Amino acid sequence: MVEIKAVNKHFGELHVLKDIDLTVGKGEVVVVLGPSGSGKSTLCRTINRLETFESGSIAIDGQALPEEGKELAQLRADVGMVFQSFNLFAHKTILENVTLGPIKVRKQKKSAAEQRAKELLERVGVAHQSEKYPAQLSGGQQQRVAIARSLAMDPKVMLFDEPTSALDPEMINEVLDVMIQLAKSGMTMIVVTHEMGFARRAANRVVFMSDGEILEDATPDDFFNHPKTERAKDFLGKILTH
């Protein structure tokens, strides 16, 4: 579903992605772990060209990522993205936030888009909030709306860039629960997160990055119990002892 080959990216002198190779199969859940500044979020953002890259190739469902224009917009519609900040439109209701893409991009009829939006809001547990505005919802509720909004486009793959890092601790689980259900439903997912419990429970594979490189690509069981590199052992030692 996602094929990344020899991708390189610099920010000025800083080489943030170094010859990245990663393949994600249909229905696979891949969790990307690593210390801050390892290139995880940049990798996530290059997959739908929110960040450009200098060399290499990225393909979604067998189609190479176009550089710009209509084709890119079309391919982006197939790649759902959930950010740290919820990026909802403040002046639109929850229902309007979820129906906007399907109506504008997918050219759905308003009634059909609203019907589907209500089903999705039900699925993520915020159906009763549909007439409210984002500011009236908690962070956890807003992030669940953001997930529903992405799902409304019927994406082929979902990218999550640290979706719980801006949330209060008690709200994290309500978002992770939705993500776990999504993983179980067979959605292809790439998740950049610090939530080790989610990685253990929901991931098919864990990819560990450090200094712009993928150092390990293993099952959660193998990665957490038998990390191969010193860098991963050090990372896990710091995280799992607290």
Side-chain angles (χ1 to χ4, degrees):
M1 188 54 83
V2 180
E3 196 168 11
I4 301 170
K5 284 185 182 163
V7 164
N8 282 279
K9 161 127 188 111
H10 290 76
F11 286 127
E13 295 291 296
L14 196 62
H15 197 171
V16 282
L17 296 176
K18 302 173 185 170
D19 279 328
I20 297 290
D21 289 311
L22 180 64
T23 302
V24 180
K26 192 175 193 305
E28 228 183 349
V29 178
V30 173
V31 170
V32 185
L33 301 176
S36 292
S38 58
K40 310 183 297 291
S41 288
T42 305
L43 175 64
C44 199
R45 293 167 69 89
T46 55
I47 294 172
N48 66 353
R49 273 203 188 270
L50 282 176
E51 295 283 359
T52 56
F53 51 95
E54 287 110 37
S55 62
S57 66
I58 298 180
I60 309 286
D61 200 14
Q63 260 193 306
L65 261 193
E67 300 223 354
E68 54 196 28
K70 257 195 176 144
E71 289 87 3
L72 178 60
Q74 217 157 12
L75 200 63
R76 268 202 188 138
D78 289 335
V79 182
M81 180 109 190
V82 179
F83 302 89
Q84 294 181 25
S85 51
F86 323 121
N87 289 11
L88 298 173
F89 294 110
H91 60 290
K92 291 191 180 297
T93 66
I94 296 312
L95 190 64
E96 287 168 341
N97 264 282
V98 178
T99 57
L100 189 67
I103 291 169
K104 290 266 192 268
V105 181
R106 297 278 193 222
K107 307 296 183 212
Q108 286 179 12
K109 286 203 170 81
K110 190 180 176 190
S111 56
E114 286 187 348
Q115 179 61 41
R116 172 91 170 117
K118 285 173 180 166
E119 288 165 13
L120 288 168
L121 290 169
E122 182 73 48
R123 184 172 162 187
V124 301
V126 287
H128 57 298
Q129 310 280 13
S130 64
E131 295 309 315
K132 289 187 176 171
Y133 290 87
Q136 296 172 281
L137 273 59
S138 71
Q141 289 170 327
Q142 288 188 59
Q143 193 60 297
R144 286 184 281 154
V145 172
I147 293 171
R149 180 181 58 178
S150 282
L151 290 175
M153 296 293 284
D154 285 321
K156 293 176 176 177
V157 57
M158 289 274 284
L159 309 175
F160 292 85
D161 186 9
E162 303 203 17
T164 56
S165 64
L167 298 176
D168 292 337
E170 68 269 23
M171 290 175 193
I172 289 174
N173 282 345
E174 64 189 56
V175 173
L176 292 179
D177 286 345
V178 168
M179 290 169 62
I180 285 166
Q181 291 311 314
L182 194 55
K184 284 181 179 162
S185 76
M187 174 62 75
T188 309
M189 295 164 64
I190 299 174
V191 184
V192 173
T193 186
H194 294 292
E195 298 297 329
M196 300 298 141
F198 175 80
R200 283 180 188 269
R201 277 177 70 190
N204 300 104
R205 280 159 56 208
V206 170
V207 168
F208 176 73
M209 288 184 74
S210 182
D211 297 320
E213 292 179 284
I214 291 178
L215 297 186
E216 305 210 14
D217 183 343
T219 64
D221 197 37
D222 272 355
F223 177 73
F224 286 108
N225 298 321
H226 314 286
K228 293 182 178 63
T229 60
E230 286 306 316
R231 191 72 191 83
K233 286 175 191 164
D234 180 51
F235 174 78
L236 288 171
K238 285 182 177 142
I239 280 193
L240 300 177
T241 49
H242 293 300

